[in-house]
């Protein structure tokens, strides 16, 4: 159990209960962001104390055990986690003399004993409400708005997300900090021999299109499948890497309807240790999403030297910069044309590869950790 901070130091409590101890798509995305951001947080002594509230701390390798406070509540269960953050966390934080609460996933306690910071990754539940189960949508819509309006500061992961929060909730831009993800050290350009070995092991063709992301409506995968059909290229394989989210039946149905069973491969969730190999083996990565808070696969792919084609919406243009190709996510013809161009023109692919490697270097977890510290220092100076 953690101990109260010395009275001369401010004390920050971080809710990291969304860190999942289970393999699967829940360990992607937000889990990765939380663990990497906290592990790269500069922990100089003497400025403030931090306590992390989390049941799974296997990935918090840079934090000593006495800085992590678990709960007896089984918070891997989403409903129990919600109950914990609203009912138990305020009480425990008060007992530990916490001066500032940071909720790292959308929602802060309604009755917080201290000022709050909240991290909001995206507002897809507002832009695409029909694509969320009813109870999940109602919870996120009502409690995220309330949390943002009450917070001292808000953290988001892209400039596009910052603008979304400003427009949707009427919050001043100066109150919203952008702390983007970095790219992990394992995402690098592999030697050709290593790539060939992976292709042989997985029986992958030379021309491989990759999509990385949970199978759900917002990822707009039917458009990508339609582009595959329009191309009429039996030498090309589309590999969909990601776990099943919700409402994914349409994706399987579209593949069958278009007769692409032999050209579309569903791999399911892949552990993070395999991702660099998949990116390196791919001819290109396609992200046709209708909306992304950031689009982490684009950054990881570029760091591995893989060309990226992405939808021209939300955060994706700022992530890929001038390195990638953008298209209207409702236009499968334009997408098919981009794919064929990159697949068949080695010079274009090589230029995209070099620009992508350069773009990826602008995102580091070290810089992200420093930005989080700056956010904390700014709020602590005001309370």
């Amino acid at each position: 159990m953690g101990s109260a901070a010395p009275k001369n130091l401010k004390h920050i409590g971080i809710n990291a209960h969304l860190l999942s101890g289970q393999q699967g798509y829940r360990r992607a995305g937000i889990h990765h962001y939380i663990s990497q951001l906290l592990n790269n947080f500069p922990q100089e002594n003497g400025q403030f104390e931090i306590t992390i509230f989390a049941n799974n701390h296997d990935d918090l390798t840079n934090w000593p055990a006495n800085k992590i406070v678990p709960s007896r509540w089984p918070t891997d269960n989403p409903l129990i986690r919600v109950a914990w953050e609203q009912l138990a966390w305020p009480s425990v934080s008060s007992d530990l003399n916490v001066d500032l609460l940071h909720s790292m996933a959308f929602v802060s306690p309604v009755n917080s004993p201290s000022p709050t910071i909240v991290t909001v990754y995206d507002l897809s539940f507002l832009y695409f409400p029909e694509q969320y189960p009813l109870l999940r949508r109602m919870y996120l819509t009502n409690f995220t708005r309330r949390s943002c309006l009450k917070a001292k500061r808000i953290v988001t992961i892209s400039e596009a997300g910052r603008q979304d929060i400003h427009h949707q909730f009427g919050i001043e831009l100066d109150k919203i900090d952008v702390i983007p993800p970095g790219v992990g050290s394992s995402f690098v350009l592999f030697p050709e021999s290593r790539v060939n070995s992976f292709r042989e092991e997985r029986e992958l063709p030379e021309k491989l299109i990759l999509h990385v992301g949970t199978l759900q409506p917002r990822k707009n995968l039917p458009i990508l499948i339609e582009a595959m059909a329009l191309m009429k290229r039996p030498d090309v394989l589309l590999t969909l890497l990601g776990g099943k989210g919700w409402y994914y039946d349409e994706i399987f149905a579209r593949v069958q309807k278009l007769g692409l069973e032999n050209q579309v491969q569903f791999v399911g969730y892949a552990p993070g240790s395999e991702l660099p190999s998949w990116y390196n083996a791919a001819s290109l990565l396609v992200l046709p999403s209708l909306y992304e808070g950031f689009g982490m696969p684009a950054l990881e792919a570029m760091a591995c030297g893989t060309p990226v084609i992405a939808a021209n919406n939300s955060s994706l243009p700022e992530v890929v910069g001038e390195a990638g190709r953008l298209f209207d996510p409702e236009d499968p013809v334009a997408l098919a044309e981009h794919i064929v161009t990159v697949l068949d023109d080695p010079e274009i692919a090589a230029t995209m590869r070099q620009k992508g490697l350069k773009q990826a270097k602008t995102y580091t977890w070290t810089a992200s950790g420093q930005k989080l510290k700056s956010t904390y220092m700014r709020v602590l100076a005001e309370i």
Side-chain angles (χ1 to χ4, degrees):
M1 186 71 171
S3 58
K7 291 185 178 180
N8 62 322
L9 288 180
K10 294 292 187 180
H11 189 187
I12 300 170
I14 301 174
N15 176 6
H17 270 272
L18 203 62
L19 289 173
S20 175
Q22 302 174 358
Q23 291 293 330
Y25 78 92
R26 291 188 184 279
R27 285 184 61 86
I30 294 176
H31 171 106
H32 181 72
Y33 180 86
I34 292 174
S35 62
Q36 290 296 320
L37 184 61
L38 293 181
N39 280 333
N40 285 275
F41 186 87
Q43 299 183 49
E44 295 93 344
N45 294 324
Q47 294 178 304
F48 47 77
E49 290 289 321
I50 287 182
T51 296
I52 298 174
F53 296 85
N55 277 348
N56 172 53
H57 50 80
D58 292 343
D59 291 333
L60 296 177
T61 53
N62 290 349
W63 289 88
N66 67 340
K67 297 285 188 180
I68 301 173
V69 175
S71 170
R72 294 179 180 176
W73 297 39
T75 54
D76 262 343
N77 180 301
L79 292 178
I80 294 176
R81 184 174 64 249
V82 168
W84 175 86
E85 70 186 10
Q86 292 298 327
L87 302 174
W89 191 33
S91 176
V92 175
S93 298
S94 181
D95 291 343
L96 295 178
N97 297 324
V98 172
D99 300 294
L100 175 65
L101 298 185
H102 181 187
S103 299
M104 297 200 75
F106 298 100
V107 176
S108 298
V110 172
N111 295 315
S112 172
S114 309
T116 60
I117 295 172
V118 62
T119 297
V120 177
Y121 298 90
D122 63 62
L123 296 181
S124 56
F125 50 88
L126 294 181
Y127 292 115
F128 303 97
E130 72 283 355
Q131 297 182 0
Y132 278 77
L134 178 61
L135 291 178
R136 179 182 174 87
R137 181 179 78 235
M138 292 176 62
Y139 169 71
L140 287 172
T141 299
N142 295 326
F143 282 80
T144 301
R145 182 186 300 273
R146 181 194 296 263
S147 299
C148 287
L149 292 172
K150 183 180 178 181
K152 285 289 185 181
R153 295 201 70 74
I154 300 160
V155 170
T156 191
I157 57 176
S158 68
E159 178 58 32
R162 180 170 173 259
Q163 295 293 334
D164 286 344
I165 294 168
H166 168 65
H167 291 301
Q168 288 291 331
F169 300 152
I171 293 170
E172 296 178 2
L173 288 170
D174 184 59
K175 188 179 173 182
I176 309 168
D177 294 334
V178 176
I179 303 179
V183 61
S185 59
S186 63
F187 295 96
V188 295
L189 187 62
F190 286 176
E192 186 175 354
S193 59
R194 182 173 176 182
V195 176
N196 289 336
S197 295
F198 182 78
R199 283 181 177 149
E200 291 176 6
E201 177 188 339
R202 298 303 177 105
E203 299 181 346
L204 302 174
E206 180 182 349
K207 296 186 183 298
L208 172 67
I209 301 170
L210 183 66
H211 177 274
V212 177
T214 304
L215 305 183
Q216 56 177 281
R218 178 164 56 93
K219 300 300 183 180
N220 198 30
L221 289 172
I223 290 294
L224 176 53
I225 294 166
E226 285 187 29
M228 282 288 294
L230 290 170
M231 288 163 47
K232 301 185 185 302
R233 293 285 296 268
D235 60 323
V236 178
L237 176 68
L238 169 61
T239 295
L240 303 179
L241 208 65
K244 296 177 181 178
W246 48 87
Y247 304 146
Y248 52 81
D249 291 339
E250 180 186 354
I251 300 168
F252 296 98
R254 188 68 59 93
V255 170
Q256 293 179 341
K257 181 180 179 181
L258 296 174
L260 295 173
E261 292 94 338
N262 294 329
Q263 280 190 261
V264 180
Q265 177 186 40
F266 292 89
V267 174
Y269 170 81
S273 59
E274 288 186 6
L275 282 177
S277 295
W278 280 106
Y279 287 127
N280 273 273
S283 305
L284 56 92
L285 175 88
V286 178
L287 285 182
S289 301
L290 297 171
Y291 179 89
E292 288 286 350
F294 185 82
M296 196 65 193
L299 178 59
E300 293 170 344
M302 290 188 296
C304 293
T306 304
V308 173
I309 299 174
N312 62 356
N313 61 47
S314 57
S315 62
L316 293 173
E318 69 182 273
V319 175
V320 303
E322 298 181 357
R325 289 191 159 216
L326 302 175
F327 72 100
D328 181 342
E330 297 182 358
D331 188 349
V333 175
L335 175 56
E337 291 174 350
H338 280 305
I339 291 174
V340 170
T341 297
V342 177
L343 287 177
D344 293 347
D345 192 322
E347 290 187 9
I348 289 177
T351 298
M352 293 177 68
R353 182 175 297 109
Q354 292 305 315
K355 288 184 176 180
L357 289 167
K358 182 178 179 181
Q359 175 73 357
K361 289 180 180 178
T362 64
Y363 291 92
T364 70
W365 283 115
T366 300
S368 300
Q370 291 287 352
K371 288 179 180 179
L372 179 59
K373 180 185 176 183
S374 295
T375 293
Y376 288 162
M377 295 296 288
R378 183 168 180 175
V379 175
L380 291 175
E382 298 172 355
I383 62 176

